[in-house]
């Protein structure tokens, strides 16, 4: 197999390159059929480099045309073209200029790494190892150099020529060609290099930084779509202002450009001064984008912009350190969105995402530390663990240190490492030194995989008025790590008295408690609180202050009490989720809920909905019952997804039969006719109203399907239209087929909206879904190479259709594994990503487990898999 020969790369083998790159000058000629890249690299051996040390340059899919050192063509014996690139056998032992000329075929680049064409536009993606597909280079993040690039192309075909940094020259040639020269004064690793050449429209604006410099802002896109870029521009300006205000970080070039392209493997990329975006994260208009789309645009625009400091000014020494930039930047973008919207509601949504995606990863065969110590294919490590757990680690650091000290540490980190390629250890050291704290044990969070479990029991003694909380932590074994160390857990908490208000205590002993935070760093802990007049209800892990699985001592009544009274909104939401999850897991195990159980949860929900001091967006989250996958995880083994689906439906019906009137009233009184605005307040009302509508349909009420159909038909914005269609399709009501057809016809011209149609089709749990997907894939007009289309259809099916993906007859598993084998021949990254859906396969009951294993094994036998897919497959089978 393609992927089989590759050995793992280990962090412990890190060594700096024997040669440094002092300067990079590129001359790129874009022609319709192929592109020529002439590179002049100024190289110099390190002081410690022995004369005669070979120079090994990375290269992939390049056709070498000529090669010279200091202007003299190299003899064939002086260099070697290898599988991985090019070796200069005995380079000069002094500063020298290496010139290479290579040809590329961006037309045929379906992997979308390096230089490729998207709808005619030439664009690049270099992170993590794409630059070696543009020219021979030391393609690793610890090699930093200033870049200058001359781009030449046909004036008609590519009037727009963009790269990093500042435009220093441009001009016309007499053969219909023109050129632009871009120079980036900031030394950077090659992964931040970018070029765009094409016929694009654009919008422009400007931002004045805190020191008074004007930055010209531009967003480039397909002609005719300029008016869809306004929200992205607005988000960009707010991001720039926020990073100055919150973290004192100012932008450092005179230009900041964003380009939207329609073929892109990821969400977006932080290239210095020239971010490239998947167009779905730029384009927004009320008729075509949902509130959730607007929120994603804001957060991803923020994320990529914030990388300018956390990633670009301070970058990673090697790819093992990826979460140094990604975890920190996700933390920063989460904080940005929280400040722009709602702290508690955003927190709920971030945690839901963490549990839905990162927890299963961390508890399955693909578990790895936030900083891994080996990999076969680095592209497989852009994971929820690196990103989302990485962000949680930074968040815990902020919680433990407090806002002021956290800021001191971060300032020192940016100041000390500006212009560096650095490590997690250096990051932690900056916080230790700035604040005088010892963070050595805390650092385990980066090194140890697995989600810690925190078990809590309690005792109250009315005689002595003392209350005891006993806490125990343990982390389950993960692949390659059987022994685990205790972690440092910041546990925000409160004790709630019978009247619903916070209780104080006289003394607390047995462990470290700072105001409202327990700092646990041992395997177990028993805290004794004195001066407690009544048995309290503990509210633990407020705001989800540590990414653990919490087992509380609470019974249902206590949870319902917290749902009503907790001053921490996160835990109010959590308590409702816990009650629902318990009812469902018990029912799956054979113990049905009682009428009293349903009355209890229904009335807690009713009170939540009636509350004057909770946001509508919070209420929407309260109405969303735990997902099927969440229940599966709570059960943990011998999963039968069909049974979980049925139980969840039954619980919804039970609750809705008690709340139908309330929900209908909530729906009707909040169905606003205001003209659309994506702001948090209006979006929150829509979310709440649509959550009610969704329950009215899912709960099988008489009016639900009609209300949904009417909303679908008269909707003035995409949020309302899709929110009406989704429950109809999920419940597969008699309207489903016709409305799906209508939606498809209405939006044939808009690929991003058609993605929503693909996803709706793929997520529906009806028996017909596999047939529908096969028909879509067989349609010759289906764009088989576009990542957004592929992910909308097959990513959604594999990840968000738990019953049909895991059909007992194995048809869902086979559909996905055959798709992976096919797509892998063209785009290994998309293929490997979809394949990760199998990471839960060992949790299924025996029939499904065997069916999943069969599908995986036949994929293994199907032949020549990419390194990406081979690695995921082997780890999934082994784990
Ligand atoms: N640096 C990444 C882009 C990237 C992802 C490069 C994977 C190579 C491989 C960028 O900053 C990023 O993290 N993008 C995310 C979105 C972000 C908001 C989490 C993405 O593309 O999914
Ligand atoms: Zn990022």
């Amino acid at each position: 197999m393609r992927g089989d020969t590759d050995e793992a790369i280990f962090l412990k083998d890190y060594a700096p390159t024997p040669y440094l790159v002092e300067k990079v000058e590129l001359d790129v000629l874009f022609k319709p059929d192929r592109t020529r890249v002439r590179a002049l690299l100024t190289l110099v051996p390190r002081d410690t480099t022995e004369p005669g040390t070979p120079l090994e340059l990375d290269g992939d899919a390049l056709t070498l045309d000529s090669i010279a050192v200091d202007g003299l063509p190299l003899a064939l014996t002086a260099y070697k073209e290898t599988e991985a690139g090019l070796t200069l056998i005995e380079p000069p032992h002094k500063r020298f200029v290496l010139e290479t000329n290579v040809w590329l075929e961006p037309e045929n680049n379906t992997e979308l790494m390096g230089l490729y064409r998207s709808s005619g536009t030439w664009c690049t993606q270099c992170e993590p190892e794409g630059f070696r597909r543009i020219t021979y280079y030391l393609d690793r993040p610890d090699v930093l150099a200033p870049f200058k690039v001359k781009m030449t192309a046909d004036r008609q075909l590519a009037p727009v020529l963009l790269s990093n940094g500042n435009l220093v020259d441009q001009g016309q040639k007499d053969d219909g060609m023109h050129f632009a020269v871009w120079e980036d004064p900031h030394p950077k690793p090659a992964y931040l290099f970018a070029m765009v050449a094409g016929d694009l429209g654009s919008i422009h604006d400007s931002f004045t930084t805190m020191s008074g410099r004007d930055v010209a802002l531009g967003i480039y896109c397909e002609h005719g779509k300029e008016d869809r870029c306004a929200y992205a521009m607005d988000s960009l300006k707010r991001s720039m202002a926020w990073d100055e205000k919150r973290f004192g970080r100012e932008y450092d070039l005179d230009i900041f450009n964003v380009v939207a392209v329609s073929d892109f493997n990821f969400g977006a990329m932080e290239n210095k001064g020239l971010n490239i975006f998947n167009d779905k994260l730029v384009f927004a208009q009320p008729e075509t984008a949902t509130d959730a789309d607007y929120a994603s645009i804001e957060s991803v625009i923020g994320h990529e912009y914030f990388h300018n400091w956390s990633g670009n000014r301070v970058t990673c020494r090697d790819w093992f350190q990826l979460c140094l930039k990604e975890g920190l930047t996700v933390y920063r973008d989460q904080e940005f969105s929280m400040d722009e919207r709602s702290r508690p509601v955003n927190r709920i949504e971030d945690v839901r995402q963490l549990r839905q995606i990162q927890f299963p990863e961390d508890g399955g065969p693909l578990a790895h530390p936030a900083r891994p110590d080996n990999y076969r294919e680095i592209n497989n490590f852009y994971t929820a663990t690196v990103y989302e757990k990485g962000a949680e680690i930074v968040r815990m650091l902020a919680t433990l240190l407090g806002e002021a000290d956290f800021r001191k540490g971060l300032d020192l980190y940016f100041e000390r490492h500006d212009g560096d390629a650095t490590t997690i250890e250096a990051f932690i050291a900056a916080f230790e030194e700035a604040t005088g704290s010892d963070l050595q044990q805390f650092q385990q969070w980066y090194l140890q995989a697995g989600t810690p479990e925190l078990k809590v029991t309690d005792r109250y003694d009315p005689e002595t008025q003392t209350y005891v909380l006993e806490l125990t932590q343990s982390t389950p074994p993960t692949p390659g790590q059987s022994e685990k160390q205790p972690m440092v857990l910041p546990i925000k908490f409160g004790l709630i008295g019978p009247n619903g208000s916070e209780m104080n205590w006289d003394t607390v002993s047995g462990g470290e408690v700072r105001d409202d935070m327990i700092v646990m760093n041992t395997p177990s802990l028993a805290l004794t609180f004195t001066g407690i007049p009544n048995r309290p209800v503990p509210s633990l892990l407020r705001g989800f202050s540590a990414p653990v699985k919490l087992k509380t001592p609470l019974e249902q009544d206590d949870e319902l009490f917290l749902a009503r009274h907790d001053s921490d909104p996160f835990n109010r939401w959590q308590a409702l989720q816990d009650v629902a999850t318990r009812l469902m897991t018990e029912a799956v195990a054979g113990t049905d809920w009682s009428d009293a159980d349903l009355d209890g949860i229904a009335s807690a929900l009713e009170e939540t909905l009636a509350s004057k001091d909770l946001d509508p967006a919070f209420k929407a989250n309260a109405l969303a019952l735990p997902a099927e996958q969440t229940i599966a995880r709570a059960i943990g083994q011998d999963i039968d997804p069909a049974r979980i689906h049925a139980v969840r439906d039954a619980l919804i019906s039970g609750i809705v039969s008690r709340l139908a009137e309330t929900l209908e009233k909530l729906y009707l009184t909040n169905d606003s006719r205001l003209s659309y605005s994506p702001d948090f307040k209006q979006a929150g009302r829509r979310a709440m109203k649509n959550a009610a509508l969704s329950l009215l349909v899912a709960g099988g009420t008489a009016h639900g399907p009609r209300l949904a159909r009417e909303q679908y038909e008269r909707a003035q914005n995409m949020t309302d239209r899709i929110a009406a269609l989704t429950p109809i399709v999920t419940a597969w009501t008699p309207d489903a087929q016709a409305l799906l057809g209508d939606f498809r016809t209405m939006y044939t011209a808009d690929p991003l909206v058609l993605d929503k149609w693909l996803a709706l089709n793929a997520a529906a749990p009806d028996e017909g879904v596999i047939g529908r997907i096969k028909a879509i894939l067989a349609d010759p007009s289906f764009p088989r190479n576009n990542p957004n289309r592929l992910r909308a259809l097959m990513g959604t099916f594999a990840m968000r259709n738990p019953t049909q993906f895991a059909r007992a007859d194995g048809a869902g598993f086979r559909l996905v594994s055959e798709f992976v084998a096919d797509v892998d021949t063209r785009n290994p990254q998309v293929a490997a990503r979809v394949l990760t859906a199998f990471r839960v396969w060992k949790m299924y009951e025996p029939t499904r487990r065997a069916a999943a294993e069969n599908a995986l094994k036949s994929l293994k036998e199907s032949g020549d898999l990419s390194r990406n897919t081979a690695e995921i497959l082997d780890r999934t089978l082994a784990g």
Side-chain angles (χ1 to χ4, degrees):
M1 290 203 291
R2 281 191 274 163
D4 255 7
T5 50
D6 294 277
E7 292 297 319
I9 298 167
F10 290 87
L11 169 60
K12 64 174 166 47
D13 295 337
Y14 172 81
T17 57
Y19 296 86
L20 300 169
V21 183
E22 282 187 347
K23 193 160 74 164
V24 180
E25 288 168 286
L26 302 177
D27 184 344
V28 183
L29 175 63
F30 297 89
K31 301 209 292 180
D33 52 338
R34 53 184 192 163
T35 293
R36 197 215 57 209
V37 178
R38 171 167 177 259
L40 295 175
L41 308 182
T42 306
L43 292 148
V44 60
R46 281 180 200 273
D47 295 343
T48 51
T49 300
E50 295 287 329
T53 306
L55 168 62
E56 293 179 2
L57 298 170
D58 303 298
D60 178 23
L62 302 173
T63 305
L64 182 63
D65 193 40
S66 70
I67 178 165
V69 167
D70 290 332
L72 296 173
L74 275 190
L76 281 172
T77 50
Y79 69 96
K80 216 167 47 198
E81 283 186 77
T82 65
E83 179 103 335
L86 187 142
T87 305
L88 287 202
I89 294 163
E90 205 178 330
H93 197 61
K94 59 168 181 57
R95 174 171 295 100
F96 63 100
V97 176
L98 173 69
E99 174 180 348
T100 58
N101 277 280
V102 299
W103 291 102
L104 320 179
E105 291 182 38
E107 301 294 315
N108 301 326
N109 183 351
T110 57
E111 283 183 43
L112 313 185
M113 292 303 283
L115 180 70
Y116 64 95
R117 283 187 98 169
S118 173
S119 310
T121 297
W122 283 278
C123 62
T124 56
Q125 170 59 35
C126 292
E127 186 183 2
E129 297 180 335
F131 191 70
R132 63 188 63 185
R133 293 163 62 85
I134 295 175
T135 193
Y136 290 105
Y137 199 68
L138 291 165
D139 189 10
R140 38 188 279 176
D142 61 344
V143 174
L144 279 70
F147 282 63
K148 186 172 179 180
V149 51
K150 177 174 183 184
M151 302 166 68
T152 306
D154 184 286
R155 252 195 318 263
Q156 235 77 58
L157 219 53
V160 173
L161 301 171
L162 304 172
S163 187
N164 320 87
N166 302 311
L167 182 64
V168 293
D169 193 12
Q170 58 184 325
Q172 312 286 331
K173 314 233 265 182
D174 38 23
D175 52 359
M177 306 291 273
H178 72 149
F179 69 92
V181 180
W182 291 84
E183 187 164 12
D184 182 1
H186 296 275
K188 65 168 176 288
Y191 83 85
L192 291 172
F193 174 76
M195 290 185 293
V196 172
D199 185 5
L200 297 168
S202 56
I203 63 167
H204 298 271
D205 206 328
S206 72
F207 179 81
T208 307
T209 70
M210 59 193 198
S211 68
R213 275 187 312 101
D214 278 336
V215 182
L217 311 176
I219 301 186
Y220 291 79
C221 64
E222 201 179 298
H223 282 293
K225 298 196 168 164
E226 294 85 350
D227 53 349
R228 304 184 189 194
C229 299
Y231 188 74
M233 182 64 89
D234 177 62
S235 301
L236 176 59
K237 289 189 287 178
R238 285 185 286 117
S239 302
M240 295 177 87
W242 180 87
D243 212 14
E244 292 184 346
K245 182 157 172 275
R246 175 74 188 271
F247 287 115
R249 301 288 123 204
E250 188 179 10
Y251 187 63
D252 54 9
L253 284 166
D254 301 331
I255 305 185
F256 188 86
N257 284 324
V258 169
V259 179
V261 299
S262 45
D263 300 82
F264 200 70
N265 275 347
F266 325 108
M269 177 64 209
E270 71 265 26
N271 316 300
K272 185 80 187 187
L274 179 56
N275 288 1
I276 298 183
F277 270 63
N278 188 320
D279 59 6
K280 76 171 179 171
L281 289 163
V282 173
F283 294 151
Q285 271 179 329
E287 301 75 39
T288 52
T290 63
D291 291 330
D293 294 330
Y294 278 89
S296 308
I297 290 168
E298 177 180 89
S299 95
V300 181
I301 288 273
H303 179 98
E304 306 311 338
Y305 172 72
F306 302 143
H307 267 314
N308 192 55
W309 274 96
S310 48
N312 301 4
R313 294 286 292 242
V314 182
T315 193
C316 302
R317 188 193 72 172
D318 52 70
W319 291 124
F320 297 103
Q321 321 294 331
L322 181 59
C323 73
L324 182 68
K325 73 176 177 83
E326 293 303 347
L328 176 55
T329 305
V330 171
Y331 169 77
R332 279 153 52 70
D333 85 53
Q334 288 176 347
E335 286 293 304
F336 169 57
S337 292
M338 284 176 174
D339 284 347
E340 297 288 298
R341 290 161 184 262
S342 149
R343 198 150 275 277
V345 173
N346 278 52
R347 185 62 185 148
I348 288 167
E349 288 165 4
D350 291 342
V351 172
R352 184 181 274 150
Q353 161 102 350
L354 178 81
R355 286 187 175 133
Q356 211 134 298
I357 301 171
Q358 199 274 327
F359 277 24
E361 180 171 279
D362 222 359
L366 300 181
H368 57 274
R371 188 183 66 187
D373 50 25
N374 74 87
Y375 61 75
R376 277 166 67 187
E377 170 54 62
I378 184 55
N379 276 293
N380 289 334
F381 284 83
Y382 287 75
T383 60
T385 297
V386 167
Y387 276 69
E388 266 77 42
K389 187 174 184 172
E392 291 300 316
I393 299 173
V394 176
R395 182 170 300 284
M396 283 189 286
L397 197 56
T399 306
L400 284 164
L401 296 176
E403 202 178 326
D405 272 6
F406 177 74
R407 176 65 196 274
K408 270 195 217 156
L410 198 58
D411 285 350
L412 178 60
Y413 168 73
F414 284 136
E415 185 194 323
R416 178 184 283 174
H417 295 290
D418 192 4
D420 278 2
T422 192
T423 60
I424 291 295
E425 281 78 3
F427 178 68
I428 291 292
F431 287 90
E432 289 191 315
E433 285 172 44
T435 66
S437 15
D438 176 351
L439 296 168
Q440 288 312 295
Q441 190 189 351
F442 181 80
Q443 195 160 293
Q444 280 296 322
W445 275 107
Y446 285 105
L447 310 181
Q448 196 163 278
T451 308
E453 291 167 9
L454 176 61
K455 287 206 183 85
V456 183
T457 58
D458 68 346
R459 277 194 313 274
Y460 177 64
D461 181 1
E463 290 291 294
T464 55
Q465 307 214 325
T466 56
Y467 177 66
V468 178
L469 271 179
E470 286 182 337
L471 301 90
T472 315
Q473 63 159 306
S474 66
T475 304
T478 50
Q481 284 186 338
S482 45
E483 299 298 317
K484 303 285 181 175
Q485 306 299 311
M487 307 296 261
V488 181
L489 308 179
I491 305 166
K492 292 265 191 181
F493 80 113
L495 302 179
I496 304 183
N499 62 357
S501 59
E502 302 283 312
M503 285 176 122
N504 293 316
W505 47 87
D506 292 343
T507 65
V508 54
S509 57
E512 189 181 347
V513 177
R514 306 181 203 157
D515 300 325
D516 62 346
M517 176 165 67
I518 301 165
V519 181
M520 180 174 186
N521 57 18
T522 49
S524 62
L525 193 63
L527 295 172
T528 303
F529 299 85
T530 65
I532 308 286
N534 298 288
R535 186 186 85 90
V537 176
S539 168
L540 298 164
L541 209 66
R542 284 182 160 169
F544 203 64
S545 58
V548 301
K549 291 184 181 168
L550 174 65
K551 279 200 74 179
T552 72
L554 304 184
E555 313 247 323
Q556 184 160 309
D557 285 348
D558 291 336
E559 280 164 349
L560 293 172
F561 177 84
L562 286 183
R564 293 195 167 89
H565 298 295
D566 204 318
S567 61
D568 179 51
F570 181 89
N571 270 4
R572 284 183 79 163
W573 170 79
Q574 184 65 56
L576 285 168
Q577 298 286 305
D578 287 345
V579 172
T581 302
R582 162 132 29 69
L583 294 180
M584 290 188 273
T585 54
E586 287 178 359
V588 169
T591 310
D592 267 339
W593 48 73
S594 65
D595 281 349
D597 289 330
L598 292 181
D599 293 343
I601 189 167
S603 72
L605 277 173
E606 188 138 36
E607 251 182 70
T608 303
L609 296 177
S611 161
K612 295 264 179 288
D613 43 53
L614 291 170
D615 266 327
F618 176 91
K619 296 177 187 179
N621 278 291
L623 286 177
L625 290 191
E628 288 163 44
Q629 295 94 324
T630 308
I631 301 151
R633 254 195 339 278
I635 297 169
Q637 57 188 12
D638 282 325
I639 299 302
D640 172 353
R643 170 109 187 99
I644 293 175
H645 184 81
V647 162
R648 187 171 180 275
D649 267 1
L651 183 68
I652 291 175
S653 300
I655 293 174
V656 170
S657 69
R658 286 161 171 75
L659 286 181
E661 241 176 84
T662 307
L663 291 171
E664 211 174 307
K665 197 162 149 227
L666 188 77
Y667 175 73
L668 295 169
T669 52
N670 285 282
D671 190 19
S672 146
R673 265 141 241 251
L674 292 177
S675 77
Y676 179 91
S677 147
D679 68 86
F680 172 73
K681 245 185 114 190
Q682 223 195 66
R685 286 200 102 72
R686 269 190 294 274
M688 176 176 72
K689 169 201 78 167
N690 287 327
L693 179 63
S694 169
L695 284 177
L696 288 168
V697 179
T701 63
H703 300 320
R706 177 180 53 78
L707 291 173
R709 191 198 169 102
E710 285 169 8
Q711 174 167 319
Y712 171 84
E713 278 163 356
R714 60 153 211 276
Q716 298 293 312
N717 59 69
M718 183 52 67
T719 306
D720 280 342
R721 196 178 308 277
I722 209 93
L725 187 52
T726 301
I728 288 176
V729 172
T730 305
W732 207 255
T733 71
D735 287 334
Q737 192 79 60
L739 293 187
L740 271 178
D742 177 77
F743 190 89
R744 186 185 164 144
T745 315
M746 189 163 7
Y747 297 106
T748 31
D750 195 327
L752 293 177
V753 183
L754 279 184
D755 284 346
K756 298 181 193 305
W757 179 83
L758 292 170
L760 266 176
N761 267 286
D766 69 301
E767 289 285 318
V769 61
I770 290 185
R772 279 202 306 279
I773 291 178
K774 285 186 171 162
I776 292 170
L777 284 173
D779 185 335
S781 72
F782 183 76
R784 298 176 349 125
N785 286 340
N786 179 284
N788 286 5
R789 306 300 92 78
L790 297 173
R791 281 187 294 246
L793 188 67
M794 294 304 287
T796 304
F797 177 72
M799 308 280 188
R800 296 191 206 288
N801 195 336
T803 52
Q804 292 296 317
F805 171 58
R807 283 164 65 113
D809 65 6
F813 296 137
R814 279 196 300 278
L815 178 68
V816 174
S817 66
E818 283 161 15
F819 169 86
V820 168
D822 175 42
V823 171
D824 192 51
T825 61
R826 303 186 298 279
N827 189 329
Q829 298 203 29
V830 169
R833 192 54 64 122
V834 172
L835 183 61
T836 62
F838 278 94
R839 67 192 173 197
V840 291
W841 73 276
K842 284 190 176 161
M843 273 175 40
Y844 295 124
E845 49 77 26
T847 306
R848 287 174 169 86
R849 205 184 308 149
E853 189 169 14
N854 274 335
L856 289 170
K857 290 200 163 140
S858 53
L859 178 60
K860 175 115 186 135
E861 278 145 28
S862 73
D864 207 21
L865 295 174
S866 68
R867 181 166 60 193
N868 308 54
T869 298
E871 180 186 19
I872 297 290
L873 181 57
D874 291 346
R875 283 163 59 203
T876 304
L877 277 166

